[in-house]
Amino acid sequence: TTLRVALMGLGSYAARVAEAMQSCKRAKVTGLISGTPSKLQEWGTKYGVPEKSRYNYDNFDRIKDDADIDAVYIITPNAQHRDQAIRVAKAGKHVICEKPMAVNAKEGQEMLDACAEAGVKLLVGYRLHFEPKTLEVIRMRNAGDFGNILFFQGLSGFRIGDPSQWRLDKALAGGGSLMDIGIYAINGARYMVGEDPVWVTAQQTKTDPVKFKEGVDETIQFQLGFPSGAVASCLSTYQMNHLDRFFMTGERGFAELRPATGYGPIQGRTHKGELTQPHAMHQTIQMDEMAGILLDGNTPVVPVDGEEGLKDLKIIDAIYAASETGGRRQLRLSK
Ligand code: NAD
């Protein structure tokens, strides 16, 4: 069977997902939700979505009665995710939500609760959790190839352009670089080390307070401490290019992914040599695997469920709080 997906928010990332889904074996675009009638028309024609499965933000609750939609993939500005996800859940459809799942842990928890109450599943678009070279590093770690993990470094950033975009508007983005790109280092630290952090420290730098307004972080350095004693040191920024690197070292070996999170081929090496797993479009693999999770109850090696999204939001909350005070924040992520 095929997972029938409605895309919500027809922007640049949704365009990438829609293209990649054309190569999916188990997932298909069968619905569209947009505030722009011309996009509904254009995308509808391009992807073969009939008019009856095209919705806008006022009427999409009607997907409840659309038998051709199993799940809605929310690809809108961050601050909209919570309300949209709750409406999708109430319509009885599974929710796939882009990262960051919400703009803070409180809103993330509300999404989990709404999905649980409605009896639908909540997944987060963590495409790298299905990426072959990433999974090989995780396999090697679990096999003990690196020995005890001691240190992780995550560098995630780019120089952001247009100052008027929603990513630089706190009301729509929920924050700045950390919400958008730093979350890759947070999430990566967790799947590379294979543990959840128990403390956080953070420092914030702002060189351009005109472009990066109150509540929109430009650059944050943060450190995470893990139960085993491993430590992560990460950089999140909207002010520097060429930052997409994960490095991890243990008692017996190392892994480096660079680029670690971009859309193109992930590249990397370990103390045993180059990683050679073939590249496939991340969003194609992701959506096929999500079909397996939602339709067959498959369990992925690295989780992509709402609990996973919520952990990252709790860490983001703690990083922002620590960066205000310069102090250390304790974390308790598992129940
Ligand atoms: P985008 O600006 O290209 O698209 C956003 C879409 O939302 C547009 O179609 C826009 O019309 C619509 N929208 C609805 N209400 C809006 C409003 N009030 N203001 C602005 N736009 C509004 O953004 P994007 O890059 O596609 O990002 C969308 C989401 O996808 C974000 O949550 C982002 O973090 C996530 N994303 C994830 C990845 C990934 O690799 N997983 C990559 C890019 C973006």
Side-chain angles (χ1 to χ4, degrees):
T1 49
T2 300
L3 182 70
R4 299 163 307 169
V5 180
L7 301 179
M8 178 186 293
L10 306 182
S12 53
Y13 193 64
R16 191 175 287 275
V17 169
E19 279 308 301
M21 283 182 70
Q22 295 204 309
S23 310
C24 277
K25 296 188 183 72
R26 292 208 58 192
K28 188 176 181 320
V29 178
T30 59
L32 297 168
I33 301 159
S34 169
T36 313
S38 59
K39 281 194 208 166
L40 286 172
Q41 171 91 47
E42 190 193 320
W43 288 50
T45 306
K46 187 166 181 191
Y47 298 107
V49 176
E51 250 170 80
K52 71 139 190 86
S53 294
R54 303 177 195 166
Y55 301 88
N56 60 43
Y57 293 106
D58 295 324
N59 68 18
F60 78 76
D61 308 273
R62 295 201 323 237
I63 54 168
K64 189 179 186 18
D65 302 316
D66 193 327
D68 297 319
I69 294 170
D70 304 309
V72 176
Y73 194 163
I74 299 171
I75 318 184
T76 55
N78 309 336
Q80 300 180 350
H81 295 175
R82 188 263 311 255
D83 288 359
Q84 290 166 343
I86 291 174
R87 282 173 68 185
V88 169
K90 285 189 172 151
K93 307 295 181 181
H94 297 303
V95 179
I96 304 171
C97 185
E98 257 317 314
K99 46 57 62 175
M101 189 174 88
V103 295
N104 56 49
K106 179 179 168 288
E107 293 199 356
Q109 183 65 55
E110 289 165 6
M111 292 165 71
L112 259 71
D113 294 345
C115 290
E117 193 172 322
V120 299
K121 288 183 185 160
L122 170 60
L123 304 182
V124 185
Y126 288 131
R127 59 188 160 78
L128 296 154
H129 293 201
F130 306 105
E131 194 283 317
K133 292 188 181 74
T134 304
L135 289 175
E136 173 60 10
V137 171
I138 291 167
R139 187 199 64 75
M140 289 177 69
R141 181 200 72 218
N142 288 339
D145 288 357
F146 307 118
N148 287 330
I149 304 299
L150 300 170
F151 179 75
F152 170 88
Q153 183 191 45
L155 305 178
S156 298
F158 65 96
R159 250 182 105 81
I160 198 160
D162 176 13
S164 70
Q165 63 188 290
W166 69 260
R167 280 183 166 77
L168 294 172
D169 180 350
K170 159 96 174 162
L172 286 166
S177 78
L178 191 65
M179 284 285 169
D180 188 48
I181 191 76
I183 190 172
Y184 284 97
I186 294 171
N187 193 250
R190 292 175 46 242
Y191 63 66
M192 295 281 282
V193 175
E195 298 175 55
D196 291 330
V198 289
W199 59 257
V200 165
T201 54
Q203 309 81 37
Q204 205 173 140
T205 325
K206 194 171 284 195
T207 63
D208 186 347
V210 176
K211 187 168 185 179
F212 303 100
K213 300 192 172 54
E214 180 69 32
V216 178
D217 54 286
E218 174 188 317
T219 298
I220 295 192
Q221 297 180 72
F222 58 91
Q223 302 76 38
L224 308 172
F226 295 90
S228 64
V231 173
S233 172
C234 301
L235 177 68
S236 166
T237 184
Y238 267 160
Q239 195 68 303
M240 304 166 217
N241 278 330
H242 316 297
L243 289 175
D244 184 9
R245 177 180 190 248
F246 291 171
F247 175 79
M248 181 169 79
T249 189
E251 285 171 328
R252 285 208 287 275
F254 75 92
E256 180 188 46
L257 296 175
R258 182 171 60 111
T261 70
Y263 303 134
I266 301 302
Q267 294 178 50
R269 56 211 56 81
T270 73
H271 57 293
K272 293 186 166 174
E274 291 290 317
L275 294 166
T276 55
Q277 288 69 26
H279 170 70
M281 263 195 290
H282 301 165
Q283 298 82 5
T284 307
I285 319 182
Q286 173 200 325
M287 294 310 289
D288 275 337
E289 292 292 327
M290 286 186 167
I293 295 168
L294 293 177
L295 299 177
D296 305 339
N298 292 352
T299 305
V301 175
V302 188
V304 288
D305 54 22
E307 297 283 350
E308 182 78 4
L310 183 60
K311 285 181 182 181
D312 287 343
L313 294 176
K314 287 180 178 172
I315 296 169
I316 286 174
D317 285 352
I319 290 171
Y320 280 135
S323 79
E324 294 293 320
T325 63
R328 180 185 280 219
R329 307 290 289 200
Q330 302 297 324
L331 279 167
R332 193 173 298 130
L333 299 187
S334 306
K335 288 194 183 117

